[in-house]
Amino acid sequence: MKCFNISHERGCFMTNDHQPFPAGPASSDWISRMWIRLVHVFEENDKQDAFRLLHAAAPSYMLIAAAKRHGNIVIDGILSPITPGIVHVIRPGQRLELRYPSDGEQVLYGFHFDIYMPEENGVEQALISWVSEETIATASARLIGVCEKITVHWHSGDATDRLVSQAGFQELLHLLLKKQGHHEDALDQARDYLRSHYRDEITVERLSESAGMSRYHFMRSFKDRFGQSVIDYLTELRTNQAKLLMEEGRSLRDIAGEVGYKDPLYFSSQFKKHVGISPSIYMANRKCKTAAYSWPNLGHLLALQIIPYAAPIDQSWTDDYRKRYRYDVKVPLSHDYEFNRKALWRARPDRIVALEEMITDEEKIKLQQIAPVLFLPWQQETWRVHLQMTARFLDKEQEGEKWLSRYDDKADAVREKIPDAFRQGGLLILHVSARGIKIWGKRAGTVLYDDLQVGCAGGVERIRYTEFIEAEQLADFMADVVLMNVMKDRQSQMNWSRLKRSEHWQRLNAVQNRHVYVTSGLTWFGEPIMEYTAYQHYRFLQQLDLLFCARG
């Protein structure tokens, strides 16, 4: 699937893999040689389940638009937030899921359509370039107005009203295809410039000046709009292009110059900072195609400096993995046995790492017919054993032992910085999200309770991973110190504000003694069961190190 933005600069369509298409009559001539007909319309506003499979295989082309910013859409294992003004395009046969991590209102509009076109060279390819993963409309208000008109007339009960729906659908297509003349603002132009000139020497000052903004305002606006800083986005463009050149067998010196770095050593340091692995190790480990069947398998492979060739990257609780590794994971996996099996048969990985408890015996036999498989005993063994088993299976035992040694050294260093409050009493770990208050159990908090040897509050030992609780239950744990993470969304902040004002919270010993340590926005905190891995535990140690140093 592709996602395109349309740029006026030098008159070209710019796709997400940065391949230019000439604009003008020649590029849009295919539109006049095909028919597009609306065949079914649905509106969904009754959100009963946190997860819903709309289609295991879509029966036709589809457009999905949303009225509100809530939930996620997953297309063939690729997760994207549901956002007003974004229209998702689904091709026949693609798997389509909806996920709602918390309560909230949402109205979705879905349009099934057929395409009729002549059997001419170039027409089908032009269509494929247009049928993209998502496309940005002119304005969400106008977009939703058109969607409402199509839906109301389609379900009016009067067959003649469907002519209005057909006309409305053509209007929607026109809105999407014609959007380039309307939505191009300074930030879009800056991003398109980066895509086209990432090899050049680029400064934030020059970009902000071209955008007509102050440096500070431009940097803040760019990050708000696109979810990452200007420098991070530029580094991502250069890094992804470097990975392409690595696949061609180019030298690191040549690659550095090709992607905009004059100094190969500086390129290597930036690559390692962005990817987490040095360029030389990245190239060596990509020669073996490894598949991570389940979410947690990713964390052990990354600790061994292996980025999987196939893996699920539709984590609903965090976008860290998608931001870093979506480009590298060539085969996205899902939660459906048949979907994954077909994807792996096509990919033909050299080895597969999976979880023992999450796959049926019948499916295990089928996976073993594709490639050698390691099934980790997820519930019975610790994350250290999981890492050692994974390393042994992939002939990386030495790397695994070195990693564990570095981890233990880091834990020893962080243990020296633990505040006195953590040493004197029982610790309670909390996560506040839109769904409520979640307490971490003993296994979830293994970094603190086992590796840093911090005592847990009474009752924590009976909880294995996590458990939702009410404010009035907090006193039952008699915690002397509380470590908590609060998500940044509006509902989470409201829940946190309500908790702080409650009498149940004010009466806690940890609160009265000011032994409450608060972090914010650590999305993975909500699903420690999925992050029970070597990679995430080391990152947690680093975050605790910063927290303890900040509190002195």
Side-chain angles (χ1 to χ4, degrees), residues 114-377:
D114 286 337
I115 298 176
Y116 304 90
M117 60 184 175
E119 295 182 358
E120 298 178 15
N121 291 335
V123 175
E124 183 176 4
Q125 187 58 47
L127 171 66
I128 291 173
S129 297
W130 172 68
V131 178
S132 314
E133 178 183 346
E134 65 185 26
T135 208
I136 302 176
T138 304
S140 59
R142 184 181 174 193
L143 170 69
I144 297 305
V146 175
C147 291
E148 288 177 347
K149 180 175 72 173
I150 297 170
T151 304
V152 168
H153 285 86
W154 188 267
H155 294 290
S156 70
D158 186 343
T160 59
D161 280 349
R162 293 200 170 185
L163 294 173
V164 180
S165 294
Q166 293 287 355
F169 188 66
Q170 300 297 321
E171 181 183 353
L172 175 61
L173 296 177
H174 177 265
L175 178 65
L176 299 177
L177 287 167
K178 200 69 176 178
K179 67 184 184 301
Q180 66 266 34
H182 306 283
H183 91 287
E184 285 293 336
D185 61 11
L187 295 174
D188 291 305
Q189 292 175 21
R191 185 174 66 167
D192 287 338
Y193 182 85
L194 288 170
R195 286 173 168 175
S196 303
H197 298 83
Y198 63 86
R199 296 180 181 88
D200 302 339
E201 186 174 341
I202 297 175
T203 64
V204 175
E205 286 76 13
R206 189 168 68 183
L207 289 172
S208 60
E209 182 179 347
S210 298
M213 303 180 187
S214 69
R215 185 179 189 275
Y216 172 77
H217 182 58
F218 173 76
M219 293 176 66
R220 186 181 63 181
S221 299
F222 191 99
K223 187 169 185 177
D224 288 344
R225 178 70 175 273
F226 302 118
Q228 59 189 140
S229 70
V230 180
I231 300 303
D232 285 347
Y233 183 71
L234 177 60
T235 303
E236 180 182 284
L237 291 174
R238 289 173 167 173
T239 301
N240 288 344
Q241 183 62 26
K243 291 173 181 176
L244 277 178
L245 297 175
M246 288 176 187
E247 292 175 4
E248 298 175 5
R250 303 279 292 275
S251 70
L252 290 181
R253 178 175 293 277
D254 288 345
I255 292 172
E258 282 285 326
V259 300
Y261 292 101
K262 296 179 180 178
D263 183 355
L265 293 178
Y266 182 67
F267 160 69
S268 295
S269 68
Q270 289 298 104
F271 186 96
K272 184 173 183 179
K273 180 180 177 181
H274 186 76
V275 182
I277 300 172
S278 70
S280 57
I281 293 178
Y282 176 87
M283 289 189 289
N285 286 346
R286 292 297 280 180
K287 294 177 182 178
C288 177
K289 297 196 297 186
T290 304
Y293 194 88
S294 299
W295 284 327
N297 296 125
L298 261 170
H300 293 306
L301 292 178
L302 292 175
L304 297 172
Q305 298 189 306
I306 297 173
I307 301 175
Y309 183 82
I313 51 171
D314 58 343
Q315 295 87 347
S316 57
W317 65 92
T318 179
D319 61 358
D320 288 348
Y321 297 105
R322 286 189 300 282
K323 283 182 176 179
R324 276 182 172 246
Y325 304 114
R326 176 172 171 174
Y327 180 90
D328 301 281
V329 175
K330 304 300 184 183
V331 183
L333 301 180
S334 183
H335 312 285
D336 180 85
Y337 289 152
E338 185 176 2
F339 177 91
N340 287 348
R341 195 183 329 115
K342 289 180 178 178
L344 291 172
W345 269 115
R346 291 192 298 268
R348 287 294 183 174
D350 297 303
R351 299 179 189 181
I352 302 171
V353 183
L355 303 185
E356 176 78 32
E357 295 89 340
M358 295 188 182
I359 305 176
T360 65
D361 291 340
E362 179 183 0
E363 193 61 26
K364 289 175 184 176
I365 295 173
K366 294 177 180 178
L367 285 179
Q368 289 170 328
Q369 294 172 354
I370 299 173
V373 187
L374 169 67
F375 297 104
L376 291 176

Side-chain angles (χ1 to χ4, degrees), residues 373-547:
V373 187
L374 169 67
F375 297 104
L376 291 176
W378 196 247
Q379 300 293 343
Q380 288 77 24
E381 296 293 350
T382 67
W383 67 268
R384 290 174 180 266
V385 174
H386 296 155
L387 177 64
Q388 290 170 331
M389 291 179 67
T390 303
R392 191 178 310 119
F393 178 68
L394 298 173
D395 300 321
K396 298 282 186 179
E397 286 184 89
Q398 187 175 2
E399 289 86 342
E401 292 305 320
K402 286 182 178 179
W403 190 95
L404 286 172
S405 178
R406 289 196 300 271
Y407 179 89
D408 289 335
D409 288 344
K410 180 67 176 180
D412 289 341
V414 175
R415 196 180 302 118
E416 295 296 321
K417 303 175 185 178
I418 294 176
D420 290 339
F422 282 74
R423 304 177 190 274
Q424 296 170 0
L427 169 67
L428 191 65
I429 307 173
L430 302 176
H431 175 71
V432 178
S433 68
R435 297 179 62 190
I437 307 169
K438 182 183 285 188
I439 184 172
W440 275 24
K442 189 71 183 297
R443 189 171 171 96
T446 184
V447 173
L448 280 153
Y449 298 138
D450 298 317
D451 301 330
L452 297 184
Q453 300 171 9
V454 175
C456 63
V460 168
E461 67 280 352
R462 67 173 178 80
I463 302 172
R464 187 167 175 80
Y465 282 109
T466 61
E467 185 177 290
F468 278 104
I469 62 170
E470 299 297 330
E472 53 266 29
Q473 296 175 271
L474 288 170
D476 297 340
F477 295 91
M478 297 181 291
D480 298 294
V481 60
V482 173
L483 172 65
M484 63 190 308
N485 176 67
V486 182
M487 297 305 296
K488 294 181 178 180
D489 62 277
R490 183 171 178 271
Q491 185 59 52
S492 299
Q493 291 295 321
M494 288 175 61
N495 289 345
W496 171 222
S497 180
R498 190 181 305 115
L499 176 62
K500 286 191 294 185
R501 294 195 306 268
S502 72
E503 194 173 324
H504 302 293
W505 176 260
Q506 296 294 335
R507 289 180 177 178
L508 296 179
N509 287 337
V511 175
Q512 293 181 355
N513 294 328
R514 297 186 178 182
H515 290 164
V516 177
Y517 291 71
V518 181
T519 64
S520 64
L522 300 180
T523 53
W524 67 270
F525 234 76
E527 295 293 344
I529 184 174
M530 298 301 179
E531 299 285 6
Y532 186 75
T533 68
Y535 174 77
Q536 188 57 62
H537 288 162
Y538 191 86
R539 292 187 67 192
F540 191 25
L541 272 182
Q542 293 175 315
Q543 290 158 350
L544 289 171
D545 193 1
L546 293 174
L547 178 66

Side-chain angles (χ1 to χ4, degrees), residues 45-60:
N45 52 26
D46 182 17
K47 182 182 71 64
Q48 298 178 344
D49 303 313
F51 168 84
R52 183 177 175 192
L53 175 64
L54 283 185
H55 293 290
S60 65

